[in-house]
Amino acid sequence: EPRLEELIPKPGNPLAEVLREPEASLFSSWCVLTNTLLGVGILGLPWAVSTVGLALGIVMLVGAGAVSCLALHFLAHVAVALTGGSKGPAEVTFYSACMAGAPAARYVVDAAIAVKCFGVATSYLQVIGQLGAVLLSEVMEWTADPEPLRRQIIVVALLTVIAPTVFHKRITKTASQNLIAIVAWLYITVLIAAIALGLIPVDEVQAAGSWQVSPPPGMTLSVVASTLPIFIFSFTCHQNLFPLVNELKQRSLRRLDLIIVGAIATGLLMYGVVGLGAYMRFAPQPKPNIMLDLPRCSLVRVGELLAIVAVIFTYPLQLHPCRRSMMILVASCMGRFMNRDEERWCRRILTVFILAGTATVACLVRSLGITLAFVGALGSNTVVLIMPAFLFLRLHRGHSGVLWYLALAVFIAGCIILPTSVTAVIHKALSDPAA
């Protein structure tokens, strides 16, 4: 197995030949982390709030954001400790972090990240196909079966827009696409805020407006447990923190915290506007995709188009960590680090594999349904709660302090929430197959 000191390259280390000097700015890093956490989850938050009521929805939204921010801080601590304060080339990964604190977990962590990101990337392609087919059929007034059109849109979007952007080695090379996606989600946020405030007229049939602060009468612990992963999933961006650490100029814990707080605060603000505002406007039961509740007008059609664009530009932020984890597992099987040529060819082959694999699943399966629910319950809980706290605890074992005990609390909470959420999802699937 590679020794720990080899995982952070020093002069003369063969791995240093593959790496380059960090060149990412605070702004480009913020764009990456913010666009990673923003995504299709924003469209489902109004429905999630409706299942638990306004008061509990606010608590769960703010709580998920705060815990996510804390977990990112844990990972930043781990990364800075692993680099030894170096500001030069580095290759901090979840594999190297596990080698330092929990060697037995190194394969499990990277495998979990790869599976989680592969599943989320597949869901992005499904959203692209479904929204694109609906929007194009409506604009062109087509009445034919939308299924062939859905598949064609997936393939065309993948080959013409997504594929050219995902072969870069560095994740911050997608900064321009990240900024466009953030602007697209910002437009959707402003659009929904305008509708919630009554600035854009909505039919009375569409907007019942009978929202409530207290939990709905039929709410149970099982409902809360099956809804909580939606809030946690909305703030999942942890898989891309270590790549940002490697690429950030003048890396330090303070600069990393600025990026983390900025990204979480941006997400919390936009989620609050969409989740709470749209719920209050379209209560008591907004649709799982809030775009389907909005009035049919040109502004909304632009929003739907921008949602597709945003998802297209967010896809690379799932492919990068998926590919990275796969490459680490391949290098581990080889028992050595890859040289520059091997690394380049492995990156290209795995990129093609992920593109083809996610497109195949998205074309063959119209909706992942309960499978995506499991990805959220298992993947998000693992990446946001369990993994960051576990790595922090292992690398700081023997230490004590407020931060250590906070990490212990987050780890215990994750270990409780994960099986509870999975059980609730199973129960919901069995009791309501159409859910």
Side-chain angles (χ1 to χ4, degrees), residues 216-410:
M219 192 191 77
T220 62
L221 180 59
S222 178
V223 171
V224 175
S226 62
T227 304
L228 181 59
I230 299 175
F231 291 94
I232 298 176
F233 175 81
S234 298
F235 291 97
T236 304
C237 55
H238 303 60
Q239 67 272 15
N240 280 333
L241 185 68
F242 283 170
L244 290 182
V245 171
N246 297 332
E247 300 175 24
L248 179 64
K249 291 186 297 186
Q250 300 178 345
R251 76 173 69 88
S252 66
L253 185 61
R254 179 179 176 276
R255 285 169 66 84
L256 289 170
D257 282 340
L258 285 175
I259 297 168
I260 291 168
V261 172
I264 295 296
T266 302
L268 191 59
L269 177 62
M270 296 175 69
Y271 289 157
V273 171
V274 175
L276 305 180
Y279 163 66
M280 296 173 71
R281 184 64 171 173
F282 296 101
Q285 195 63 43
K287 292 182 174 66
N289 183 350
I290 194 61
M291 297 298 291
L292 301 178
D293 276 321
L294 303 185
R296 307 312 301 169
C297 63
S298 58
L299 291 176
V300 172
R301 291 191 182 95
V302 171
E304 291 174 337
L305 180 60
L306 288 176
I308 295 173
V309 171
V311 171
I312 288 175
F313 287 157
T314 306
Y315 180 97
L317 300 185
Q318 299 298 329
L319 183 142
H320 273 268
C322 180
R323 181 183 65 196
R324 189 181 192 83
S325 292
M326 288 182 177
M327 290 182 66
I328 290 171
L329 293 174
V330 170
S332 178
C333 292
M334 294 171 60
R336 62 177 176 82
F337 291 110
M338 290 178 276
N339 59 37
R340 185 181 295 273
D341 289 336
E342 290 173 335
E343 186 270 344
R344 184 185 300 112
W345 279 106
C346 183
R347 184 174 73 249
R348 291 173 178 174
I349 292 171
L350 289 177
T351 300
V352 172
F353 169 77
I354 296 169
L355 287 170
T358 54
T360 300
V361 176
C363 288
L364 294 178
V365 182
R366 186 178 181 87
S367 175
L368 289 179
I370 198 64
T371 303
L372 282 183
F374 277 116
V375 170
L378 287 170
S380 296
N381 285 326
T382 301
V383 172
V384 176
L385 301 179
I386 298 176
M387 182 175 59
F390 175 73
L391 292 177
F392 182 87
L393 291 171
R394 293 295 297 176
L395 287 173
H396 293 82
R397 55 185 180 275
H399 296 206
S400 61
V402 176
L403 200 59
W404 193 90
Y405 286 107
L406 283 175
L408 180 62
V410 171

Side-chain angles (χ1 to χ4, degrees), residues 54-212:
L54 189 62
L56 187 56
I58 294 174
V59 171
M60 293 173 74
L61 182 64
V62 175
V67 172
S68 179
C69 188
L70 183 61
L72 286 166
H73 181 67
F74 294 153
L75 291 179
H77 256 284
V78 170
V80 171
L82 285 177
T83 59
S86 169
K87 300 184 186 301
E91 183 70 359
V92 181
T93 65
F94 284 102
Y95 182 92
S96 63
C98 288
M99 284 293 291
R106 60 193 185 277
Y107 302 117
V108 175
V109 170
D110 274 304
I113 292 174
V115 171
K116 182 261 180 188
C117 293
F118 188 94
V120 176
T122 301
S123 73
Y124 286 173
L125 292 182
Q126 290 179 321
V127 170
I128 292 170
Q130 291 171 356
L131 282 182
V134 170
L135 185 61
L136 194 57
S137 297
E138 183 178 283
V139 172
M140 303 300 294
E141 298 183 350
W142 290 342
T143 57
D145 181 11
E147 184 60 19
L149 179 62
R150 183 185 74 88
R151 296 176 179 176
Q152 292 170 7
I153 290 175
I154 291 174
V155 174
V156 171
L158 190 82
L159 295 178
T160 61
V161 183
I162 295 177
T165 68
V166 295
F167 283 89
H168 295 296
K169 178 181 178 181
R170 296 194 167 200
I171 198 169
T172 47
K173 291 294 185 181
T174 60
S176 58
Q177 293 93 332
N178 294 329
L179 187 58
I180 292 172
I182 292 171
V183 172
W185 291 121
L186 182 61
Y187 174 90
I188 293 172
T189 300
V190 173
L191 174 67
I192 293 178
I195 294 174
L197 293 173
L199 301 180
I200 298 177
V202 179
D203 294 339
E204 291 300 322
V205 176
Q206 290 179 291
S210 56
W211 54 275
Q212 59 183 50

Side-chain angles (χ1 to χ4, degrees), residues 25-48:
S25 65
L26 283 176
F27 179 72
S28 65
S29 300
W30 170 83
C31 286
V32 170
L33 206 62
T34 301
N35 193 29
T36 303
L37 70 89
L38 293 175
V40 295
I42 193 172
L43 304 179
L45 278 175
W47 175 84

